Protein backbone atom coordinates (compact mmCIF):
# COMPACT_ATOMS: atom_id res chain seq x y z
CA UNK A 1 0.00 0.00 0.00
CA UNK A 2 2.97 2.27 0.67
CA UNK A 3 3.94 2.19 -3.03
CA UNK A 4 0.43 3.21 -4.15
CA UNK A 5 0.27 6.05 -1.63
CA UNK A 6 3.66 7.41 -2.67
CA UNK A 7 2.78 7.10 -6.38
CA UNK A 8 -0.43 9.06 -5.95
CA UNK A 9 1.70 11.99 -4.85
CA UNK A 10 4.21 11.47 -7.66
CA UNK A 11 1.38 11.43 -10.19
CA UNK A 12 1.12 15.20 -9.87
CA UNK A 13 3.98 15.54 -12.39
CA UNK A 14 1.48 14.47 -15.06
CA UNK A 15 -1.20 17.08 -14.22
CA UNK A 16 0.04 19.61 -16.77
CA UNK A 17 0.96 17.02 -19.40
CA UNK A 18 -1.46 16.24 -22.26
CA UNK A 19 -1.49 12.58 -21.18
CA UNK A 20 -4.04 10.37 -19.48
CA UNK A 21 -2.56 8.45 -16.57
CA UNK A 22 -4.23 5.68 -14.60
CA UNK A 23 -2.75 4.27 -11.38
CA UNK A 24 -3.61 0.59 -11.03
CA UNK A 25 -3.41 0.15 -7.27
CA UNK A 26 -5.40 -3.07 -7.02
CA UNK A 27 -3.52 -4.99 -4.36
CA UNK A 28 -5.22 -8.35 -4.85
CA UNK A 29 -3.82 -8.78 -8.38
CA UNK A 30 -0.34 -9.78 -9.51
CA UNK A 31 1.62 -7.44 -11.78
CA UNK A 32 1.37 -9.79 -14.78
CA UNK A 33 -2.42 -9.80 -14.54
CA UNK A 34 -2.48 -6.00 -14.38
CA UNK A 35 -0.09 -5.70 -17.36
CA UNK A 36 -2.31 -8.01 -19.41
CA UNK A 37 -5.47 -6.18 -18.30
CA UNK A 38 -4.17 -2.87 -19.67
CA UNK A 39 -2.59 -4.36 -22.79
CA UNK A 40 -5.95 -5.87 -23.76
CA UNK A 41 -7.43 -2.38 -23.52
CA UNK A 42 -4.82 -1.00 -25.90
CA UNK A 43 -2.79 1.11 -23.47
CA UNK A 44 0.43 1.83 -25.41
CA UNK A 45 2.77 2.75 -22.51
CA UNK A 46 3.07 1.20 -19.06
CA UNK A 47 5.05 2.68 -16.19
CA UNK A 48 6.17 0.03 -13.71
CA UNK A 49 7.26 0.88 -10.18
CA UNK A 50 8.33 -1.66 -7.59
CA UNK A 51 9.78 -1.29 -4.08
CA UNK A 52 13.40 -1.16 -5.31
CA UNK A 53 12.48 1.35 -8.01
CA UNK A 54 10.74 3.50 -5.44
CA UNK A 55 13.87 3.55 -3.25
CA UNK A 56 15.88 4.84 -6.22
CA UNK A 57 13.18 7.29 -7.34
CA UNK A 58 13.06 5.48 -10.66
CA UNK A 59 10.64 3.45 -12.78
CA UNK A 60 10.47 1.27 -15.88
CA UNK A 61 8.77 2.68 -18.98
CA UNK A 62 7.47 -0.16 -21.19
CA UNK A 63 6.16 0.08 -24.75
CA UNK A 64 3.34 -2.35 -25.45
CA UNK A 65 4.29 -2.85 -29.09
CA UNK A 66 7.84 -4.11 -28.47
CA UNK A 67 7.60 -6.63 -25.64
CA UNK A 68 10.74 -7.02 -23.53
CA UNK A 69 12.83 -4.98 -25.97
CA UNK A 70 10.57 -1.97 -25.38
CA UNK A 71 11.44 -1.57 -21.71
CA UNK A 72 13.50 1.39 -20.56
CA UNK A 73 14.89 0.80 -17.08
CA UNK A 74 15.99 3.36 -14.49
CA UNK A 75 13.87 6.27 -15.71
CA UNK A 76 13.80 8.87 -12.98
CA UNK A 77 10.41 9.80 -11.56
CA UNK A 78 10.74 13.56 -11.83
CA UNK A 79 9.52 16.41 -14.02
CA UNK A 80 11.21 14.86 -17.07
CA UNK A 81 9.03 11.73 -16.97
CA UNK A 82 6.02 13.20 -18.86
CA UNK A 83 8.36 14.26 -21.69
CA UNK A 84 9.92 10.78 -21.83
CA UNK A 85 6.47 9.18 -21.93
CA UNK A 86 5.36 11.59 -24.68
CA UNK A 87 8.46 10.66 -26.72
CA UNK A 88 7.72 6.95 -26.29
CA UNK A 89 4.11 7.53 -27.35
CA UNK A 90 5.31 9.25 -30.53
CA UNK A 91 7.68 6.33 -31.16
CA UNK A 92 4.78 3.88 -30.75
CA UNK A 93 2.65 5.94 -33.14
CA UNK A 94 5.43 6.12 -35.73
CA UNK A 95 6.15 2.39 -35.43
CA UNK A 96 2.50 1.35 -35.76
CA UNK A 97 1.94 3.71 -38.68
CA UNK A 98 5.02 2.41 -40.50
CA UNK A 99 3.91 -1.21 -39.94
CA UNK A 100 0.39 -0.43 -41.18
CA UNK A 101 1.69 1.30 -44.31
CA UNK A 102 4.07 -1.57 -45.01
CA UNK A 103 1.22 -4.06 -44.61
CA UNK A 104 -1.08 -1.99 -46.83
CA UNK A 105 1.51 -1.48 -49.55
CA UNK A 106 2.51 -5.14 -49.45
CA UNK A 107 -1.07 -6.29 -49.94
CA UNK A 108 -2.23 -4.02 -52.77
CA UNK A 109 -1.88 -5.56 -56.22
CA UNK A 110 -2.54 -3.63 -59.42
CA UNK A 111 -5.02 -5.33 -61.76
CA UNK A 112 -6.22 -4.55 -65.25
CA UNK A 113 -8.64 -7.43 -65.87
CA UNK A 114 -11.46 -9.04 -63.95
CA UNK A 115 -9.61 -12.38 -63.95
CA UNK A 116 -6.65 -10.70 -62.27
CA UNK A 117 -9.00 -9.22 -59.65
CA UNK A 118 -10.42 -12.67 -58.91
CA UNK A 119 -6.92 -14.14 -58.46
CA UNK A 120 -5.81 -11.29 -56.20
CA UNK A 121 -8.94 -11.45 -54.05
CA UNK A 122 -8.67 -15.25 -53.81
CA UNK A 123 -5.10 -14.79 -52.52
CA UNK A 124 -6.44 -12.52 -49.74
CA UNK A 125 -4.94 -9.34 -51.15
CA UNK A 126 -6.45 -6.04 -52.24
CA UNK A 127 -7.01 -5.37 -55.95
CA UNK A 128 -6.36 -1.85 -57.24
CA UNK A 129 -7.49 -1.03 -60.73
CA UNK A 130 -9.54 1.18 -63.03
CA UNK A 131 -13.25 1.12 -62.18
CA UNK A 132 -16.20 2.69 -63.98
CA UNK A 133 -18.84 0.10 -63.17
CA UNK A 134 -22.36 0.60 -61.93
CA UNK A 135 -23.81 -0.37 -58.56
CA UNK A 136 -25.26 -3.47 -60.21
CA UNK A 137 -21.88 -4.48 -61.61
CA UNK A 138 -20.31 -3.95 -58.19
CA UNK A 139 -22.96 -6.25 -56.72
CA UNK A 140 -22.13 -8.88 -59.36
CA UNK A 141 -18.45 -8.74 -58.36
CA UNK A 142 -19.41 -9.13 -54.72
CA UNK A 143 -21.65 -12.11 -55.50
CA UNK A 144 -18.93 -13.81 -57.58
CA UNK A 145 -15.83 -13.04 -55.49
CA UNK A 146 -16.96 -11.81 -52.08
CA UNK A 147 -15.01 -8.58 -52.69
CA UNK A 148 -16.50 -5.14 -52.42
CA UNK A 149 -15.31 -1.72 -53.48
CA UNK A 150 -13.41 -0.45 -50.44
CA UNK A 151 -12.36 3.03 -51.57
CA UNK A 152 -11.20 5.41 -54.27
CA UNK A 153 -7.73 6.40 -52.97
CA UNK A 154 -7.24 10.15 -52.63
CA UNK A 155 -3.68 9.96 -53.91
CA UNK A 156 -4.49 7.82 -56.97
CA UNK A 157 -3.30 9.02 -60.35
CA UNK A 158 -6.54 8.64 -62.32
CA UNK A 159 -4.80 9.73 -65.51
CA UNK A 160 -3.21 6.28 -65.52
CA UNK A 161 -6.65 4.64 -65.35
CA UNK A 162 -7.50 3.20 -68.71
CA UNK A 163 -10.76 1.45 -69.36
CA UNK A 164 -12.62 -0.23 -66.50
CA UNK A 165 -11.40 -3.78 -65.85
CA UNK A 166 -15.02 -4.97 -65.57
CA UNK A 167 -17.26 -2.85 -67.80
CA UNK A 168 -14.69 -1.65 -70.34
CA UNK A 169 -15.91 1.97 -70.06
CA UNK A 170 -13.26 4.66 -70.50
CA UNK A 171 -14.28 7.03 -67.66
CA UNK A 172 -12.55 4.89 -65.02
CA UNK A 173 -11.16 5.96 -61.65
CA UNK A 174 -8.67 3.96 -59.61
CA UNK A 175 -10.50 1.88 -56.99
CA UNK A 176 -9.57 -0.78 -54.46
CA UNK A 177 -11.56 -3.99 -54.07
CA UNK A 178 -11.13 -6.56 -51.31
CA UNK A 179 -12.98 -8.92 -49.03
CA UNK A 180 -13.80 -7.82 -45.51
CA UNK A 181 -12.89 -10.20 -42.75
Amino acid sequence: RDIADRLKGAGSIFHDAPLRVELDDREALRPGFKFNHWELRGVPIRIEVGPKDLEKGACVVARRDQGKEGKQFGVMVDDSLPGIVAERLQEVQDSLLAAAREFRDGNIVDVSTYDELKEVVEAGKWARGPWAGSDEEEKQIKDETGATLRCFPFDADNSSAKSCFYSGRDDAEIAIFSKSY
Side-chain angles (χ1 to χ4, degrees):
R1 191 80 214 149
D2 181 45
I3 294 174
D5 292 339
R6 289 178 59 187
L7 286 177
K8 285 179 184 173
S12 64
I13 61 175
F14 286 100
H15 284 306
D16 294 331
L19 304 167
R20 285 189 303 178
V21 179
E22 180 77 30
L23 173 62
D24 191 342
D25 59 355
R26 298 176 291 174
E27 292 180 28
L29 302 175
R30 294 184 167 272
F33 182 88
K34 293 179 189 182
F35 297 167
N36 185 53
H37 171 85
W38 293 106
E39 281 194 22
L40 290 174
R41 281 154 185 75
V43 174
I45 301 287
R46 178 179 68 243
I47 300 173
E48 305 170 9
V49 182
K52 291 180 184 175
D53 296 315
L54 205 53
E55 287 174 14
K56 299 175 191 171
C59 66
V60 176
V61 176
R63 286 179 49 175
R64 175 180 146 228
D65 66 323
Q66 289 189 330
K68 291 179 182 175
E69 297 82 32
K71 286 191 173 189
Q72 183 178 355
F73 296 90
V75 178
M76 298 308 295
V77 179
D78 58 21
D79 291 339
S80 68
L81 184 58
I84 292 168
V85 171
E87 287 174 17
R88 296 303 158 270
L89 283 170
Q90 188 59 52
E91 290 170 6
V92 169
Q93 169 65 24
D94 294 344
S95 173
L96 292 175
L97 181 59
R101 285 183 172 153
E102 183 179 332
F103 177 83
R104 177 199 64 193
D105 295 344
N107 282 287
I108 294 176
V109 178
D110 289 319
V111 300
S112 56
T113 67
Y114 183 53
D115 288 335
E116 288 176 352
L117 177 132
K118 290 192 283 189
E119 289 175 21
V120 167
V121 168
E122 185 64 32
K125 304 233 182 229
W126 307 337
R128 177 176 53 199
W131 173 252
S134 65
D135 291 345
E136 184 56 39
E137 290 167 330
E138 183 181 342
K139 185 177 180 328
Q140 290 170 354
I141 290 175
K142 180 181 180 184
D143 292 343
E144 292 175 23
T145 67
T148 56
L149 195 155
R150 309 312 286 174
C151 69
F152 292 97
F154 290 126
D155 59 352
D157 179 12
N158 287 319
S159 65
S160 66
K162 298 180 176 53
S163 59
C164 174
F165 65 80
Y166 192 79
S167 68
R169 288 193 286 282
D170 288 333
D171 56 343
E173 292 182 76
I174 300 297
I176 295 179
F177 282 79
S178 72
K179 287 184 181 180
S180 62
Y181 296 95

